[in-house]
Amino acid sequence: PFTKDQIKEWVKGTAAASGLKNGNVRYWITAGPGGFSFQPKHCEEACFYCAVFQSQFVPEASGDVPTLKEISVPAAKVPLKPPALAQAKSNNYWLNVMTHLAAAQDGGV
């Protein structure tokens, strides 16, 4: 429903309005407000969202990006994805959240 040029302008405008020099941009398009159906026909219209936020990783003067401490999360703490979730795109990010929380408890970011 949106043209590529519209999206570019919205992203550039949002980034400029943020005033950030080293920021990250995340944007997404949804089917829009409506019921909880998986069918787009139950949604009124598509929605575009754009967020700009301060980057955690500002490159050094040399251009190098700081490295992160790696944390391994054992499968005993967070179960592996069942095959159906591992093979299909879904909006079920529960296991991702659980993995992040387990890593954060062990000092990850």
Side-chain angles (χ1 to χ4, degrees):
F2 309 118
T3 69
K4 194 173 185 178
D5 288 336
Q6 282 177 308
I7 293 171
K8 282 182 183 179
E9 288 304 312
W10 293 335
V11 171
K12 288 191 306 188
T14 304
S18 76
L20 295 174
K21 292 190 185 276
N22 289 304
N24 292 325
V25 176
R26 290 198 181 156
Y27 59 92
W28 58 100
I29 297 174
T30 72
F36 289 103
S37 171
F38 60 87
Q39 298 182 34
K41 70 180 183 179
H42 295 154
C43 299
E44 298 171 23
E45 63 183 344
C47 293
F48 176 81
Y49 297 92
C50 183
V52 179
F53 52 96
Q54 182 66 47
S55 177
Q56 278 185 287
F57 310 107
V58 179
E60 306 290 334
S62 65
D64 294 335
V65 177
T67 58
L68 295 175
K69 176 182 173 190
E70 184 176 308
I71 302 291
S72 294
V73 177
K77 277 191 171 183
V78 179
L80 296 175
K81 284 185 178 183
L85 285 180
Q87 296 172 357
K89 175 67 178 153
S90 78
N91 62 354
N92 185 346
Y93 295 106
W94 176 76
L95 289 174
N96 298 15
V97 171
M98 296 299 292
T99 302
H100 172 79
L101 291 174
Q105 286 178 339
D106 291 340
V109 291

